[in-house]
Structures are given as structure tokens and as C-alpha cells.
Amino acid sequence: MKNWKFILTLAICASLVFGFASCSNGSDGNSAVFGGTNTGETNPTTPEPTPTNPTTPTTPTNPTNPTIPATPATYTITFNANDGSEVPATATQDFVDGTPQALTLVEDLGFSKAGFNFAGWGTSADATESAYADGASYTASAAATLYAMWSAMPVYSVYIPVNQYGDITASPATGIAGTEITLSNTPKIGWRFDSYTVTAADSSSVTVTDGTFTMPEKDVTVTAAFVEIPAASGAYKKIDTITINEKQYDLVSFGLWPQTIKAATVNIDKNQTKTAGAFTYCRGSDGQWYANIKENAYGSDYKYTDGTAVAQGGTSEKWFKVEPIKWRVLTTSYNGTGKKLLLAENILTNCAYYDYDNVDRGSVYPNNYEHSKVRAFLNGLSYSKKATNSSQTITCGDFFGKGFLYTAFTADEQAKIVGTSVGNSARSTNPDGSANAKLWNDGKNIYASDMSTTDKVFLLSEQEVTKSEYGFDVYNAEGVGNMRIRQPTDYAMASGAHKITLDGMGGSWLLRSPYYNHSYFIREISGRGDADEFGYVSWDYLGIVPALSVSN
């Protein structure tokens, strides 16, 4: 019991030491009260746990700053076009130090060099070996410059074999694949270009469009096809119809004669010739035949159909295309023969009816058609006469085998032309019809001949050019629309044929009929279409409008 009390006393004292109520072991007369009335004796209580001395708090340490990783270096790589495209000449790309990165593609950089392929990147401008391919991975450790390397593209050639019908050229004659090649051709005279054929070296076909093609990755061979140009044909052929006073008349082509002025683009080859009667034709570059003549226009204001002036003086030479002659079929039963009567639609040339005044021909008058120069010219007859008071025979044109008949028509075509009995009576020299006809000197004409001639080519008479059934107006009708008006061809104007230059007018042209009151006058049609006209037999500017008859 004493031990327990001792331990308790120690505990109480200890509690006082560490801040509890003081305890003097009862000596100070005070007694500690533990939850009850002090009875003079300390009641035992549940012992309090012995407090532990608090430890001295640890002084906190200051936190250290976190370590920030270093930013990697960035390097600029410069791309140099190295004699490639002028714009751009350089470009750049940034690389992170030590980090692999794909090089920018050359196409994206915009680099190129005509005729060359990109061959990689070199580390110097004169590098011979590629260090990096296009788009290759690159790891930068410092700034650097890469130089474009270029290799020449293969150049392919265009081969053109010799062609006897024309020349072919290619521009350019060589090129890399993808080059556009333009072809051109110059046909030989008498030929025209037809088509190109382009074949690659592996025998594959290359497409040609409008004379151009794209060069493949092979050499090519170019050939061309040329087609012969047929010269104009003189064969008889219906080409059109014309309506006059509600009646239709056929228009036909038959025979050939120089007519239209040569186009400026046509070249003449004088080494290629052809003889036709009185003419020697030369071949034009358009394949047609041409005749030349020295210009000697009757008027100073004449114009060719191309608008150029017809020169006078007989010094400058011009060429005229030989073309089919156009005719109008006036009737299909000439003089009841059942043959067609054809009259040329144009004045084809000019000729004096008779060359000279004062020529002694006995009882034959100068305006006698049978012995006229114009008849000899039309039919290819000999023509000569004797001058008055002289024994000299003057030959003013030997047309034998060289006249219009032999020049305009081939032998086969001549065979189609019917020899026609051409009347030269007094009646034929007067206008047709009774109501509107003017019969000069009561229808008599002492210069007319009762002798008919048989001709293949002839001139119409006064009566024939006033026949309404042929589509003609009365003898004194004139003006625009008159069916007797005839225009001279370009060749005829150059030859000296007359023409009225007013709109709708034509040229004067000869008839075969003699005028009734003088042996040196003959009938003519004026440029206004009037048949009431006459001219002098030696006038050489009067036009020729031939007529002929063919079988139906």
C-alpha cells in the first residue's frame, strides 16, 4: 500500500512539474482535488499517460528551382538553283539541330532548268556526285547550302525523207520529250498537200493535230502525202441555169481560155509548159495553167477582178489562169437543126474585124464576114491580103491551127462542135421581129452576102442578138439588166478590150453583120447592151464573144 501511494505521489509531482496543479505532498496544507470532495485522503484515479517532451521542430529547407531543358539550336539550309531557274534562284528551309527532316521537294521549291532533269543535291556548286536525293532525309548540325545538280535530258531528232512531190520542214528539228514540233510543207507545182504521218522509232504512231505534234521519248520520222492537182477541164458540163422573162436557160462550161489574173500567192514555173494552139501555158504552184500577156489596157481606169489596175503601154507582163469557158445555151434547136446554140457569157479577147483600110480585095468589101480577120481567128484559118498599089502580100496573122478553136478546145472537144451554116444575108443584118424591128434601107444591105459560111466558131448576127426567144431585148434596149451586156475578162482587158466602167455596164463586142451604109462599118453591141450600134472594121478594141453549136 505504501508503494502505490509513493508512485502516485511521484506522478502528481511530475504533473505539477509539467504544468498541472501544484503538489506539495500535503505539507502546504493544500490538498489536490481530483473530481470530488477532499476527505483528507487522496482517492486513487486512473493514471494519466506520461507526456512526452515535444521534439524541436525541424527547420524546413528552401525548395530548389526546377531544371529547364535547353532549346535545341535551329539551322537554316539554303537551296541554290545552281544555274537553274532564274526565279527563284535560292530558297531556304529551317532544321532543328540533330533532328532528321525531309528536304523540300525541288518541285515545291520551284526550281527547274530547261532541257535538264534534277539529279540531286550537291554540297558545292561544282559537285559531280549527289549527296542527297530529292526529298531525302537530312539532319542539320550547322547552317549549310545545298546546290541543285542537273543532268541534260535526252534530245530526240525529226527525220524527214526526201519527197519528190513537196518539201517538208519541222521546227524545231530536234527536241526533248514533250517539245511541240510544228510541221510545214511546200508542194511542188501541180501538187497539193494532203496529210502528215509521224512514226516513232519503235514504230508507234504519233498524233498530229493541225500540223503539230509532241515529241515522244524517241526519234521520229515524218512523211507527207501529196495529191496531184488536176488542171481545169474543158469537158462539156452543165453548171447552172438562168431565168430570163420566166424562161430558163442552161449555163454550161466548155473549153479552156485564159481569163482571171493570177493570185499573188501563185508562183509560175516556166520550166513546166504546155502548148495549146497559139498559146504556151506555164504551170502555176496551184497546179493550174497560166498564160502571160503584156498589158495594154484600152482605158486608164480599168481594174482587174482583184482590184489592181490594168496597165497601159504594152510593157508590163501579167499572167492569167486558164479556166473553163462559161456559155449560155440560147436554144436547143439552132435554125431548126436540133443543135444547141451556145454564146459565151464574157468577152474573152479582142480582135479587129479587118486589119487595114485601102486594101484592094476586088469586089469583096472590108466588112465581108467570110473574108474577115475575126473569122480566121475564131476558126484557125489562114489570113492574108494585098495592099493597094503594091504587089506585097501582108500577113497580119496566120491563125491556121492556132486560132480560138485550136486553143480553147482539145481534139476531142472540137469533135463535139458542129460545123454550122452561118447565114450572112441582108435579113440577118437587121433586127429581128416585125413590131419593134427597124429595117434599115427597107431591109436591104448591099454589103451583105447571100453566101453562107460553114463555121465551128462564129459571131452572132444583128438578127440573132435581137431574138426574144434567145432571151434578148429589142435592138435599141440598153442599161442595167440587158441580156446583151457582157463583161470583159481580166485577160481581155489586158489584151486591150473596151469596157464602160460604170456599174452594171460592160464592154463593146463585135457582131458578124456589116452595117448597111458603109463598107468599113460593122455592127457591134455597145457597153450598155444597145444593138443599134456600129464600129469601124479596123478598131482592135472591140471584144469577141464567140458562139458555137453542139449536138444535144
Side-chain angles (χ1 to χ4, degrees), residues 134-165:
D134 191 18
S137 178
Y138 183 86
T139 302
S141 59
T145 298
L146 297 179
Y147 297 87
M149 299 178 65
W150 306 100
S151 62
M153 297 180 183
V155 176
Y156 303 102
S157 299
V158 179
Y159 296 101
I160 303 175
V162 174
N163 192 310
Q164 61 179 319
Y165 305 118

Side-chain angles (χ1 to χ4, degrees), residues 251-382:
L251 296 176
V252 301
S253 63
F254 185 40
L256 299 170
W257 189 259
Q259 297 178 66
T260 305
I261 185 79
K262 177 185 74 66
T265 55
V266 174
N267 298 315
I268 301 297
D269 184 355
K270 294 184 178 180
N271 294 319
Q272 292 194 49
T273 62
K274 172 185 175 181
T275 300
F279 289 128
T280 297
Y281 299 144
C282 292
R283 191 81 136 170
S285 56
D286 59 353
Q288 303 303 309
W289 293 107
Y290 286 81
N292 66 326
I293 192 174
K294 291 185 177 179
E295 299 173 283
N296 190 22
Y298 179 79
S300 60
D301 58 346
Y302 289 4
K303 301 286 186 182
Y304 291 121
T305 51
D306 66 358
T308 59
V310 187
Q312 295 179 298
T315 56
S316 58
E317 183 181 86
K318 285 292 189 295
W319 291 86
F320 301 87
K321 185 189 292 187
V322 179
E323 300 171 291
I325 304 169
K326 183 186 291 187
W327 308 80
R328 187 185 311 175
V329 180
L330 301 182
T331 178
T332 57
S333 185
Y334 182 45
N335 291 339
T337 61
K339 310 299 182 184
K340 293 178 180 177
L341 175 62
L342 278 55
L343 180 69
E345 282 287 279
N346 294 97
I347 295 171
L348 299 179
T349 186
N350 55 293
C351 180
Y353 189 95
Y354 183 74
D355 271 347
Y356 292 93
D357 300 342
N358 304 318
V359 175
D360 181 9
R361 298 185 68 175
S363 60
V364 177
Y365 299 111
N367 57 3
N368 181 286
Y369 179 70
E370 180 182 359
H371 299 282
S372 67
K373 175 184 178 181
V374 70
R375 177 172 177 262
F377 163 72
L378 289 173
N379 292 278
L381 307 175
S382 294

Side-chain angles (χ1 to χ4, degrees), residues 343 347 460-466 472-479 482-486 498-500 506-513 522-535 541-545:
L343 180 69
I347 295 171
L460 293 186
S461 68
E462 175 76 12
Q463 183 183 21
E464 289 168 338
V465 297
T466 55
F472 293 124
D473 296 319
V474 296
Y475 72 95
N476 58 354
E478 62 178 31
N482 190 297
M483 291 297 106
R484 286 187 291 263
I485 291 178
R486 292 292 186 275
H498 167 266
K499 172 183 171 61
I500 295 177
S508 300
W509 49 285
L510 279 171
L511 300 178
R512 70 175 187 266
S513 300
I522 41 82
R523 282 289 178 192
E524 64 167 283
I525 303 299
S526 74
R528 292 179 172 81
D530 182 9
D532 190 14
E533 291 288 334
F534 61 91
Y541 60 82
L542 296 176
I544 301 299
V545 180

Side-chain angles (χ1 to χ4, degrees), residues 197-206 216 219-223:
T197 298
V198 179
T199 306
D202 62 355
S203 299
S204 61
S205 297
V206 178
D219 293 336
V220 297
T221 298
V222 176
T223 58

Side-chain angles (χ1 to χ4, degrees), residues 445-463:
N445 188 331
I446 62 173
Y447 305 109
S449 171
D450 291 332
M451 297 293 293
S452 297
T453 58
T454 300
D455 299 333
K456 284 205 166 186
V457 187
F458 50 91
L459 301 179
L460 293 186
S461 68
E462 175 76 12
Q463 183 183 21

